[in-house]
Amino acid sequence: MDGQHSERPRSRNTADRVPSATSLNPRISSSVSMSMLEPSHMKAPQDSACRNQQAHPSGVLPHKSMSSQAALMFKDRKMFMEEAYNSAICFKMLRDIGSSELPYLQFVIKRVRNMAQRSPSLVMETIRDYFTDNPQISSRHKFRLFQVLENVIKASDCLEDPWRRSFIQLALDNMTKSTELEDTYQDAASNVLVAICRHSWQTVAQHLETELLTGTFPHRSLFYVMGILSSHEELLNQEDRVHWEELLAQIIVKSVKFLDMDLWSKELLEALTKPSQTQQEHPPEKAFLFTYYGLILQAAENSTTVRTHLQALLETSHQWPKQREGIALTVGLAATQHLDDVWAILDQFGRSRPVKWTLQSPTPKSQSFEDLQWKWASSTILLAYGQMAARAKTHILPWVDNILSRMIFYFRYSSWDETLKQSFLSAILMLVGAISRSEGAHSYEFSQTSQLLECLMVLMEKEPPGALCTTSRQQVIHIASKLCELRPPIDKDRKSRLLSTCFRSVFALPLMDTLERHTCLFLEPPNIQTLYSQTLEALDHMLQSFIMQSPTASEMKFLLMHLYPWLASEKVHERQRAAHSCMILLRFLNHRCFLDPKEDFRPMGQLIGMLGILCKDPDSVTQHFSLEGVGQLYQFLMHQKAEAALQEESHIPKELSQPGANEASPWSTGDQRTASSLPQKEIMKYLTATELTDLVWTVIEGLGSTSAFHMQAAAELLLAVIWEHGAKLETTKVANMGRAIHRHLCSVHVPKAKKNVLQAITLLARDHTSELVAAFLDFSMPLDSHALCLWKALGAEKSISRLVLAVLLAWLKERPLSTRAGNGNAHPKEKTYLYSLAAMNTLHELQFMQEFKKVMQEAYPQLLLALLTQIHYVLELNLPKAKSLPGQQAQEAALPSPQSTSLEALKSLLFTTGHWHDFAHLELQGAWERFSSIITYPQGVVLLARAMVKNHCRKVKAMLGQLLPSLQSQEERERKVAILIFNEFLYSPALLEVLPTQAARTVLAKVLCDPSPEVRVSSLQALGNILFHPEKESLLRAQLPHFLEGFFQKSEPVVVGIMNTMSEVLHQLGMQGAGAQSLNVAINVHIFFDDERDQIRAAAMALFGDLVDTMAGGKLSDLQTQVHQSMVPLLLHLKDQCPAVVTQAKFAFYRCAVLLRWQQRHILFCTLAWEHSLSARHFLWTCLMTRSQEEFSIHLAQALKYLHSCHHMMTWAILFIGYTICYFPQAMSQMLSNRDMDLLLHAFEDLKKDPAPSIQEFATRQLLFFQKVSPRSQK
């Protein structure tokens, strides 16, 4: 193996004098024997200057004593033996590496290197001798020996001339040999030559030059050595590097002539296109060969020759990446001196059929070798254009647009893959670098930069959103940053899209763990953390470059606007990344201070708002970045103010001087939890009204975030800003703020945050009440739950609630009449009445809020007049009623109409302010329907005013104070309402406490001049009041007997008219009523309660109720019996078949209860008005039958009379008696006669046949019970 058996026979002559190890090499053995006689000639000559070692003495030894000579001889012998031993060991190791495994080879190399550091000549001589004495050793053995020799030469500080010449020749002899190891063997021999270059590169270069210029195409090993020399900077020092490049240039010039030699050119192309062992990396010789070829073409003067060679080169295979890069490098080097020729060849090649085919045809699933050969030709062209730009240097500027247009073309029309992307980016980077190095670049206007930016954005968008494996993103950002520095400046829209694309591509990347998982299967996974840091750094640099290009506040605002969505992101890592970029940008701005101090820094408020919210971020890293950002912003603000003061006053305070680059922000250290609320409060002191407004707008928008922390932080910051600076906010913007808060309030689902928002509204209302009220009216038709919360917040403080009510009343009185009010399709601008309707709707809802309860009671007179007038106004508008529509439209149509809302507002005002008595009067007599028509509207107002007088309303005096100004109002409808109410108040004793009789007459006399006929008529009627004419009292009473005679007329309309007239007379008599004739009137009216005619029954009950009203507060002895006798009939008529009779029976029954001073009148009213259940009937029965024995007898007797009436009334009478039997069986048995009992038994038997199941069941149970308690039944 490895030629071990072909070595020379070993000599044994000196075996008895040297260690056995020395016998391993015959040359060593002979050397040892010779050294006994001539020790001075043992070694090859050494360079004492290189090793600084003293050579052995030569010639005759100096004359010394015999003992000294003996000692010297012993020392020389010892050194000789040691060297011989080392030589033998080295020889053995060199022999053994031929058959050793790799670990042993590494061990040998290490040992030999260590030995070479102590005795370089010995080792080199041993290696040389081993090669000389063993020429037949295997190629593998030689390969390993070359590796050892390379390392020995590298480890040597100096290489002596004999060894240099010997090893150069050894390398030259072997580097061109063909063995079974192929290129590996040649490269090992070539590496020896490269190692020698460390000591004497000139000698090696002379050999290389000689071999290169023979006219025959050189062997690959020569290019290998030259490639290593050119690419490894550490091989040569700076001076030698310059000389090497000069020599290389001379070789290039001398090689130009070979371009015309067909064989040489053919072999060159074959060498360039020869497949490498691995296509991912070029071997050194091939990489140098592309450079060598390009430099030769560069040096050539014949344009035709250059074009021919470039054309031939481009027609080779473009399948492998390094091949494409090499071709592009050659083309680029040629373009340095032949720019026109290169452009023409690239253009011609781009129009060739194979390239056009790759552009036009989609990529097939199965591709032939020829397809793969041309598939990526466009990538080669892109790289060639990039190299062309990079090598052309200052000549490139006029060509930039042309080159860019071609690059954009190939990018857009080539088949998209990773290869095209990387080629495109590499080419653009080279082009941008060339432009940046050109001094006159800023004087040019490049027309293709905008199109190139579009391509870059497309490329960025195609990056995988969940992976970061390459530098493509940072390359795109770097290129875009450089392009934006060129002329013409990029337009705002394209820059906006660029920023959005870059932010989305970088910030939206997954977490680091996820990114690293995507690369876990890579053979050489990239460092994701470093890769992302570099990408983010490129993004930050782009933002900074934008500021440097346009150092204005508007540019800063533009950049920040694109950052804000990411600062508000729901994902923690996205907020963290955006906060970091924002902080870096602010630090850059603060330290450079580009902006003009006189320029208003508009983004200040919005930026403080965003960072202030993030200062509460649960992520500590984001919180830290945000705090530092606020600190940088604070320093910037202080510096700007100081600069402005310096320009105005020519001095600057020391404490506000230029901030240092390394100065820490005031809040960047310490406990962030306690410091998070300090920066905003401190910096807000220096903000203008506009900046504060922007700040508030930002935090309001933050309320709409779906992130709980973001929403809560925004609410806290909103409260803090308004608490400290609410009065400074721009008044014109407050209304829009209110609308925005309502819009986002539905998103505030955290109770504490919602509480803070509502408290902020309360504080804001202190200085901006009218603006907020106007804003809230916009979303108050109808009011949702969030709008109600805002209105409650406005009324949280009593002083503000009064002001809110006053503003609402002012809006309520804004009552324009649209000419197209009746047209539901009126243009929105014409619907100015909507604010009045919204105020009405709001007032209706506020009446039920505890916050406004007290102010509603205080403002009752104004509200009553305003709402009554509003009803009239809504009737005037004649708005169309909602039609029945399907689906969502039906739901919208189901909303209350303005007519119903206005009436409900009036009702709720009466009920919620404690005026339920007045409400009961109108409810029980069905007076609300009068407000549904403009014709009957005055009757409704009159009935309401009359109820107030009858119930001795406490607000009559206050109402009179409001009526007098209203009589002089500009609105006719308001004067109508005022005169109608004033007329009724003439019957109230409270009137004379406010106005004497003569003053009231004077007021009415003035009203006679009113422009409205209706107002004049009402005033004239009021002047005829009994208050002004006391003599009318006796005259009216004298007519009462005649009216009673008219009750017995046969004509129903006549009788009804007489009864209604008599009711009016009783009203005009006021509190005096019928006087002594009351009993007679009551007896005559009572007769008609059971009249067969419906209208007469209703009119009789109404008249009886009016009569009872006149007796309220007086003595009951005269009418008490009649009233008691009327209660059961009125109660039974609650089930009358005529609705009008039922209504009048309810009202009369209630009036009688008031006269009899029943308790629980409120419950009685509610029961009469709205209850129809058995419990309601039981309550009414209880009110009647549990008061006294006398009343019990009267009511029972009245019920028994109805057993002889019509079937309907008899049924309810039997039910009434049935209740009484159940609860008072003993009393019933004592009071009922035998005839009454028989009648009841028959009645219950008949009721068992009633069609209603409930009546049948009741009759059955009552019959059984009656039979048990009745003595006659028991017999």
Side-chain angles (χ1 to χ4, degrees), residues 382-393:
L382 285 171
L383 292 171
Y385 280 125
Q387 290 285 356
M388 175 181 172
R391 306 292 172 175
K393 299 180 181 179

Side-chain angles (χ1 to χ4, degrees), residues 748-804:
V748 183
H749 49 80
V750 179
K752 184 178 179 181
K754 191 168 187 178
K755 181 180 178 181
N756 288 336
V757 173
L758 296 177
Q759 188 177 353
I761 289 293
T762 302
L763 296 175
L764 191 60
R766 292 177 178 177
D767 303 289
H768 307 282
T769 308
S770 57
E771 291 80 8
L772 288 178
V773 170
F776 291 176
L777 287 177
D778 287 342
F779 46 78
S780 294
M781 282 190 66
L783 284 106
D784 54 25
S785 59
H786 307 296
L788 289 174
C789 290
L790 292 173
W791 284 109
K792 286 182 180 180
L794 285 182
E797 295 181 356
K798 186 177 179 180
S799 58
I800 305 302
S801 63
R802 288 195 183 96
L803 187 54
V804 169

Side-chain angles (χ1 to χ4, degrees), residues 573-592:
H573 64 279
E574 291 180 357
R575 292 198 306 272
Q576 185 183 114
R577 293 162 179 173
H580 176 266
S581 291
C582 184
M583 180 270 293
I584 294 296
L585 182 61
L586 292 175
R587 181 189 292 173
F588 176 79
L589 181 69
N590 183 33
H591 293 162
R592 298 297 183 92

Side-chain angles (χ1 to χ4, degrees), residues 488-542:
I490 181 175
D491 61 272
K492 287 290 183 182
D493 180 64
R494 188 169 278 109
K495 183 185 286 188
S496 175
R497 290 190 291 113
L498 174 64
L499 287 171
S500 299
T501 303
C502 292
F503 287 157
R504 182 171 57 254
S505 183
V506 177
F507 291 156
L509 285 171
L511 292 168
M512 288 298 163
D513 293 343
T514 306
L515 292 175
E516 289 174 353
R517 281 197 296 270
H518 280 90
T519 61
C520 62
L521 299 179
F522 286 20
L523 293 176
E524 296 182 2
N527 187 325
I528 297 299
Q529 185 63 50
T530 302
L531 193 57
Y532 178 77
S533 299
Q534 293 173 350
T535 304
L536 194 61
E537 184 178 348
L539 184 62
D540 294 335
H541 178 75
M542 182 178 73

Side-chain angles (χ1 to χ4, degrees), residues 914-928:
H915 297 83
W916 68 269
H917 300 88
D918 306 333
F919 179 86
H921 269 247
L922 273 71
E923 179 69 27
L924 291 175
Q925 61 183 318
W928 301 119

Side-chain angles (χ1 to χ4, degrees), residues 236-369:
L236 303 175
N237 58 36
Q238 186 174 0
E239 181 181 358
D240 290 342
R241 175 67 57 185
V242 173
H243 292 312
W244 161 252
E245 291 176 354
E246 291 176 353
L247 177 62
L248 187 60
Q250 296 173 8
I251 295 174
I252 295 298
V253 173
K254 295 176 182 179
S255 301
V256 172
K257 58 186 178 182
F258 301 139
L259 294 175
D260 297 326
M261 300 173 60
D262 294 340
L263 181 60
W264 191 93
S265 300
K266 181 180 179 181
E267 291 181 358
L268 172 63
L269 282 181
E270 289 178 354
L272 290 175
T273 57
K274 178 183 178 181
S276 305
Q277 292 181 356
T278 169
Q279 297 294 343
Q280 300 303 319
E281 291 292 337
H282 265 333
E285 70 275 11
K286 198 167 186 179
F288 177 77
L289 192 55
F290 277 112
T291 304
Y292 176 67
Y293 193 15
L295 292 173
I296 294 176
L297 292 175
Q298 182 185 121
E301 297 181 357
N302 191 324
S303 175
T304 304
T305 302
V306 172
R307 292 194 179 199
T308 302
H309 278 268
L310 288 178
Q311 182 67 34
L313 179 64
L314 289 171
E315 290 176 355
T316 60
S317 175
H318 301 265
Q319 181 177 355
W320 303 109
K322 289 300 178 180
Q323 189 74 11
R324 295 191 292 270
E325 293 176 9
I327 294 173
L329 176 61
T330 302
V331 172
L333 289 171
T336 306
Q337 296 296 328
H338 304 282
L339 193 58
D340 292 332
D341 297 325
V342 170
W343 175 264
I345 289 298
L346 286 176
D347 186 63
Q348 179 183 346
F349 181 65
R351 300 174 188 275
S352 62
R353 178 178 296 179
V355 176
K356 284 185 177 180
W357 181 85
T358 61
L359 295 178
Q360 297 172 358
S361 303
T363 304
K365 293 184 179 179
S366 59
Q367 297 177 326
S368 63
F369 174 77

